Amino acid sequence: MTKPPLPQPQLDRTPITSDQYFEYTPEKLELWDGFYEYGGQDFTGFYLGILANMGLREAVRHVPISKWLEAIQEVALQNPKLDEAMRDRLNRGLADLQAVADYLEQQS
């Protein structure tokens, strides 16, 4: 039997299928050193299912924008497809977004 596709989080909350639920939801959740874990299982499908159900807009509301930007920068800069010019453009854009995030966080 083939695995169902991984849940794909969208901007707004979306349902997952029952096949995705049964395949990617651990039968048992345990807390080890502050992390969900159970027997070395890969939790990627579980986390993606949670994000799909929550929606990315809602998830972003619960974490400071600067943290999202930091993660985006780290992942994007690791992309081997970026040439030097696009890397510079990415860094300039992220610097501008970081300035906006800092401003918004100071206003809170």
Side-chain angles (χ1 to χ4, degrees):
M1 187 163 130
T2 62
K3 281 188 172 186
L6 286 168
Q8 298 297 306
Q10 303 296 316
L11 291 177
D12 293 313
R13 62 189 307 237
T14 56
I16 62 171
T17 67
S18 58
D19 288 342
Q20 288 171 319
Y21 173 81
F22 289 116
E23 179 66 34
Y24 299 118
T25 301
E27 289 183 28
K28 183 177 179 184
L29 283 176
E30 291 186 0
L31 191 65
W32 288 85
D33 296 324
F35 293 95
Y36 288 122
E37 198 168 304
Y38 185 67
Q41 274 185 271
D42 179 3
F43 275 60
T44 302
F46 175 68
Y47 298 141
L48 289 172
I50 297 298
L51 281 172
N53 279 181
M54 186 176 206
L56 296 176
R57 280 191 182 102
E58 188 62 26
V60 167
R61 284 186 180 99
H62 296 281
V63 178
I65 294 171
S66 60
K67 292 294 182 189
W68 290 104
L69 292 173
E70 184 179 338
I72 290 167
Q73 181 176 17
E74 183 178 317
V75 171
L77 288 174
Q78 291 175 2
N79 190 319
K81 296 177 185 176
L82 283 180
D83 61 21
E84 195 63 32
M86 289 307 290
R87 188 177 309 280
D88 290 344
R89 188 174 184 179
L90 173 64
N91 282 324
R92 286 192 310 270
L94 286 168
D96 287 345
L97 288 170
Q98 186 61 53
V100 172
D102 292 344
Y103 173 80
L104 291 173
E105 289 171 11
Q106 289 172 1
Q107 301 305 310
S108 297

